[in-house]
Amino acid sequence: MAEPERTERRLRPAPLLFEPSDAATDPEHFFDLESIEDPRELLARATELTLAFRAAHDRAVEFQALAAAQLADPRRFDRIPPEAIAAVAEWTEDYARKMIEFGEDLQRGAAPDGP
């Protein structure tokens, strides 16, 4: 059941608005949510952002896994061992190995649950 949900998120991306540059100077500013007074509107927009960030996170993890698998590919003359990938990505070595496997599954077109 998790897979249709993942596919649905990819097909229906939530809008993400970029933060204005002056937002960095105001720690309370976050995608203009602090200016929304109607709690229903605030909940709706905050939920949209939450879903968008989750979808972005999921996609970024998939790209990390693909890159890790490509870097560790034994067919590459310049392959990188899992411990080096772990160091670059700030992962544990076990997690790097799982991400490499996840990336290999993605390359094969499998639909694994993730690392």
Side-chain angles (χ1 to χ4, degrees), residues 14-18 30-34 36 38-53:
L16 275 179
L17 304 175
F18 291 97
F30 187 72
F31 287 89
D32 211 28
L33 292 180
E34 70 287 345
I36 299 174
D38 177 9
R40 285 187 174 91
E41 184 182 344
L42 178 59
L43 179 61
R45 182 63 182 142
T47 301
E48 285 177 344
L49 285 170
T50 298
L51 295 174
F53 284 124

Side-chain angles (χ1 to χ4, degrees), residues 1 11 15 17 22 44 47 57 66:
M1 284 193 172
L11 298 176
L17 304 175
D22 61 323
T47 301
H57 172 267
L66 285 169

Side-chain angles (χ1 to χ4, degrees), residues 14 19 23 35 54 59 68 78 83 85 100 111 115:
E19 288 274 44
S35 68
R54 283 182 190 156
R59 291 292 291 151
D78 61 344
E83 56 273 8
I85 294 171
I100 291 166

